[in-house]
């Protein structure tokens, strides 16, 4: 911790609240959580440890005027959990480094924002049995909320799902639906008040579901050869998978499981949301053609979207087959929403 004396008092009170709220009994893999200089993890013998960190920066990853604090907290944790899901890992613990603008802890409004931010983390963490086991709290050098989440997970040694394991002939699948997060965001940016978002509708942008159960099943049932989570958009993330595995892909536009929220968009924009929207946090994975991949895993639909082939200098890295029979090259075009 660092900062002015009054900010320090606010931070100490906040840490006490966090400790109180997240004090979880020691578990088999977490021997010690919040409260000491370090947390202590005890991974089971024969496991390997996976680590991922993700920034959640105000005005880049969320906006205080657009995102409910709960959604900002949820998305912060969801990003890290989704990375673990993509490797087939089981979460062991989360760590959060948080920098808050000094005035935030001095006003009731600011304090309730922070409390709701932690509500968002807490409910997703409980859902996936991921204890918040530590972190750091500091006064932000600017009027901006900055959060860095670290997720630690485990998997049977040597079995984590990598981007590099796909082979020519493998079939490509995605979980759930694509483009929903982009469609919701488009709708939000088009309306002046966030309260206009109907609560009866799904909120794939505010509250994405990291696909941990699917990732774990893919690993334990030995279904997938490679996997990646769709954080930047299918076009960009499939490019990563193809480059890592040294293969090329052909995908079918008509086969893409387009999210129901995109129904409000013109057809070309709906397809664009599914291909390039990003932040859906679904999984993209490959499996050998002879592997029988179920239509649902852990209650989540699984859709075949294309196939992988040997690299060829005459073919693009990704070919997109359109419903009208045309084929075009698909270039990585995932985008960041709040670039300044
Ligand atoms: P130290 O100065 O030894 O790093 P701190 O006063 O920063 O200790 O933190 C005390 C305890 O509270 C530690 O266990 C730390 O991991 C935890 N902690 C501090 N900030 C956070 C946070 N934002 N989220 C979760 N745990 C936190
Ligand atoms: Mg510290």
């Amino acid at each position: 911790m660092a900062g002015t004396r009054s900010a320090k008092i606010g931070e100490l009170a906040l840490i006490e609240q966090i400790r109180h709220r997240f004090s979880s009994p020691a578990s088999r893999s977490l021997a010690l959580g919040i409260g000491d200089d370090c947390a202590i993890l005890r991974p089971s013998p024969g496991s390997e440890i996976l680590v991922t960190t993700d920034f959640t920066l105000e005005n880049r990853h969320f906006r205080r005027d657009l995102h409910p604090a709960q959604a900002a907290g949820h998305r912060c944790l969801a990003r890290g959990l989704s990375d673990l899901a993509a490797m087939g890992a089981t979460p062991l613990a989360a760590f959060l480094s948080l920098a808050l603008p000094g005035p935030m802890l001095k006003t009731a409004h600011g304090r309730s924002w922070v409390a709701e931010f932690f509500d968002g983390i807490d409910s997703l963490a409980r859902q996936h049995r991921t204890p918040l086991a530590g972190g750091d709290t500091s006064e932000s050098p600017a009027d901006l909320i900055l959060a860095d989440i670290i997720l630690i997970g485990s998997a049977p040694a040597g079995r984590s799902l990598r981007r590099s394991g796909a082979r020519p002939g493998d079939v490509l699948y995605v979980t759930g639906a694509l483009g929903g997060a982009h469609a919701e965001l488009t709708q939000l940016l088009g309306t002046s008040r966030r309260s206009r978002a109907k609560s009866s509708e799904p909120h794939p942008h505010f509250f994405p579901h990291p696909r941990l159960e699917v990732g774990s099943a893919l690993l334990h049932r030995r279904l997938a050869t490679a996997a990646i989570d769709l954080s930047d958009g299918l076009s960009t993330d499939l490019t990563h998978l193809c480059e890592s595995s040294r293969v090329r892909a052909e995908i079918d536009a008509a086969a893409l499981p387009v999210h129901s929220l995109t129904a409000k968009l013109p057809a070309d924009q709906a397809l664009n949301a599914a291909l390039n929207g990003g932040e859906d946090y679904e999984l993209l994975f490959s499996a050998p053609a002879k592997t029988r991949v179920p239509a649902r895993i852990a209650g989540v639909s699984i859709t075949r979207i294309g196939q992988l082939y040997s690299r060829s200098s005459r073919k693009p890295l990704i070919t997109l087959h359109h419903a009208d029979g045309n084929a075009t090259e698909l270039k990585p075009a995932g985008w960041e929403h709040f670039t300044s």
Side-chain angles (χ1 to χ4, degrees), residues 44-326:
S44 56
S47 61
E48 59 192 12
I49 297 297
L50 295 92
V51 184
T52 174
T53 84
D54 287 280
F55 266 136
T56 293
L57 308 178
E58 185 176 355
N59 294 350
R60 180 156 297 262
H61 301 100
F62 74 94
R63 273 172 36 185
R64 253 185 276 178
D65 63 343
L66 204 64
H67 294 84
Q70 272 210 24
H74 178 107
R75 297 174 85 237
C76 177
L77 180 59
R79 298 178 64 199
L81 287 176
S82 179
D83 284 327
L84 290 182
M87 308 285 289
T90 302
L92 291 181
F95 296 83
L96 177 68
S97 291
L98 184 62
L100 295 170
M104 270 196 100
L105 295 178
K106 293 184 197 123
T107 65
H109 181 259
R111 281 194 296 269
S112 79
W113 195 97
V114 175
E116 283 166 28
F117 176 81
F118 278 101
D119 285 345
I121 291 184
D122 195 18
S123 57
L124 186 63
R126 281 171 196 277
Q127 216 175 307
H128 295 289
R129 292 194 197 81
T130 306
L132 182 66
D136 198 19
T137 306
S138 184
E139 186 175 346
S140 177
D143 183 34
L144 290 171
I145 299 162
L146 312 170
D148 187 25
I149 194 126
I150 294 122
L151 265 296
I152 314 283
S154 71
R159 302 263 313 274
S160 300
L161 303 174
R162 304 180 185 203
R163 297 176 179 185
S164 55
R167 297 287 167 260
D170 284 358
V171 174
L172 273 176
Y173 300 86
V174 291
T175 62
L178 305 180
H182 179 87
E184 183 181 13
L185 182 60
T186 304
Q187 194 180 336
L188 281 165
L189 292 172
T191 52
S192 55
R193 299 179 62 84
R194 68 178 183 225
S195 56
R196 285 200 198 153
K198 287 198 213 90
S199 59
S200 56
E201 288 185 336
H203 292 294
H205 173 75
F206 282 159
F207 299 103
H209 299 293
R211 299 302 190 189
L212 286 152
E213 295 83 2
V214 180
S216 174
L218 293 176
L219 183 153
H220 287 279
R221 289 153 73 175
R222 297 180 192 268
L223 293 172
T225 50
I228 186 170
D229 69 319
L230 294 175
S231 51
D232 294 336
L234 179 64
S235 62
T236 298
D237 293 317
L238 177 54
T239 298
H240 294 320
L241 190 143
C242 285
E243 282 171 346
S244 294
S245 293
R246 299 169 188 281
V247 292
R248 66 178 186 87
E250 299 202 11
I251 62 173
D252 247 316
L256 296 176
V258 179
H259 196 285
S260 58
L261 276 187
T262 65
K264 292 176 184 151
L265 303 173
D268 60 326
Q269 283 184 39
L271 180 63
N272 177 59
L275 292 171
N276 305 315
E279 298 190 313
D280 286 317
Y281 298 108
E282 297 294 350
L283 299 182
L284 168 70
F285 65 94
S286 57
K290 63 178 188 321
T291 299
R292 285 186 53 191
V293 174
R296 295 182 88 76
I297 298 177
V300 180
S301 61
I302 308 291
T303 307
R304 176 185 177 139
I305 63 160
Q307 198 158 7
L308 300 174
Y309 298 88
S310 298
R311 284 271 182 96
S312 152
S313 55
R314 285 170 288 114
K315 302 266 189 177
L317 194 66
I318 306 176
T319 302
L320 176 66
H321 293 276
H322 297 267
D324 62 7
N326 283 333

Side-chain angles (χ1 to χ4, degrees), residues 1 15 37 135-137:
M1 286 199 332
I15 292 173
D37 291 311
D136 198 19
T137 306

